[in-house]
Amino acid sequence: MEEKKKVLYSAVQPTNNLTIGNYVGAIRNWVQLQSEYDCYYAIANMHAITVKQEPALLRQRTLELLALYIACGVDPEQCVLYVQSQVPCHAELAWVLNTITYVGEMERMTQFKDKSARHAENINMGLMDYPVLMAADILLYQADVVPVGLDQRQHLEITRDIAVRFNNRYSPTFTVPEGIYRKVGAKICDLQDPTKKMSKSGEDPNGAIFMGDDKDTILRKCKRAVTDSETEVRYDPDTKPGVSNLLSIYSVMTGKTMDESVREFAGKGYGDFKLAVGEAVADVLIPIQQEQKRLLADKAYLNGVLNRGAEAAFRTARKTLSKVYRKVGFYQGDK
Ligand code: ATP
Ligand code: LTN
């Protein structure tokens, strides 16, 4: 008999436009892992509304994100692609997990502190509860592995704590998931402030390359990227964060190792280097954009993928939820 594959879970929020940080830190890895694991890839729209969203835009971005997943090479025949809000078990499990999660733990989360500072007028319960919903996402599918960027490590650690806590309090129920963090590209930094992560909701649009940027924009942003007063292209994130960030981007976009990339620019100036980085990014992004556009013209196909995805996700999620309800003592009729 064929051995059962391990389960992989990941998601991205349909907020703002995605950056190459999201691509490199998340979606690109998903493609590489999809044949090895049983994969669930969600569009985390319930997480998205923890900060203010324009409803029509949120709806539109949901479909755009699905098309982007597929355009990047995620195969809907091989993976379960679905929208989080279409599977009610997420909210239901999150409620139960809330009762074994402490307020103090949530207040300590770096992302909560960051987002509270950035959205001081809207520090809502959802923003604080975000990691619990994320734990529910992952635990519902009994995921073994979760590939994410380094910024999500703290959320993954709390997911593991919550899983262990539930298993100890009741009885073994959840698989305790491991994070997968790639070394190169786990944190793509802002082009204008290379000490910060490149983020889709950053303040300076020149700091981020968006998945939808045209070639001229990509080249311009790379050209303007902050470097240093030296002239040597060398990988040293501590003393040369800007150059090292561009080197990471170049290396992941071309598939070359860091050593190869550094050697290629030996003796070359920053101007040539930045141009080459821009070209490498455009070479990857332009075909993805064309494919995304083609897919978006076929709504029936995309809706079909989502309907199938939601059904498949629900089948798995419901089993876990029903186990949880039994363990905590929720009356479930004669089931
Ligand atoms: P926001 O700025 O709106 O909070 P974000 O850019 O951090 O969003 P998310 O939707 O929170 O994007 O993240 C989606 C995935 O992309 C996560 O796995 C996250 O770790 C990864 N990711 C986001 N930014 C980067 C980055 N700069 N480098 C590497 N991975 C990243
Ligand atoms: N919070 C994540 C998105 C996300 C996620 C998940 C990632 C929601 N649910 C489950 C992995 C597993 C982020 O990347 N900002």
Side-chain angles (χ1 to χ4, degrees), residues 146-186:
V146 181
V148 279
L150 274 177
D151 61 308
Q152 295 299 314
R153 178 175 232 146
Q154 210 182 22
H155 292 162
L156 203 70
E157 289 306 317
I158 202 79
T159 299
R160 291 165 53 85
D161 291 348
I162 292 172
V164 169
R165 200 174 293 163
F166 189 97
N167 289 349
N168 287 339
R169 186 165 309 182
Y170 298 98
S171 62
T173 307
F174 296 123
T175 303
V176 181
E178 302 279 342
I180 299 186
Y181 313 96
R182 288 286 155 106
K183 276 198 208 77
V184 181

Side-chain angles (χ1 to χ4, degrees), residues 14 43 45 57-66 83:
I43 296 172
N45 60 346
L57 210 53
L58 178 63
R59 207 171 353 257
Q60 181 192 329
R61 284 194 170 129
T62 301
L63 218 53
E64 284 174 3
L65 186 53
L66 173 71
V83 177

Side-chain angles (χ1 to χ4, degrees), residues 96-115:
V96 175
L97 299 182
N98 269 334
T99 64
I100 60 161
T101 308
Y102 299 101
V103 171
E105 292 178 301
M106 296 295 101
E107 281 171 339
R108 278 198 296 277
M109 294 286 126
T110 314
Q111 185 180 293
F112 172 65
K113 287 193 269 184
D114 280 359
K115 289 199 177 173

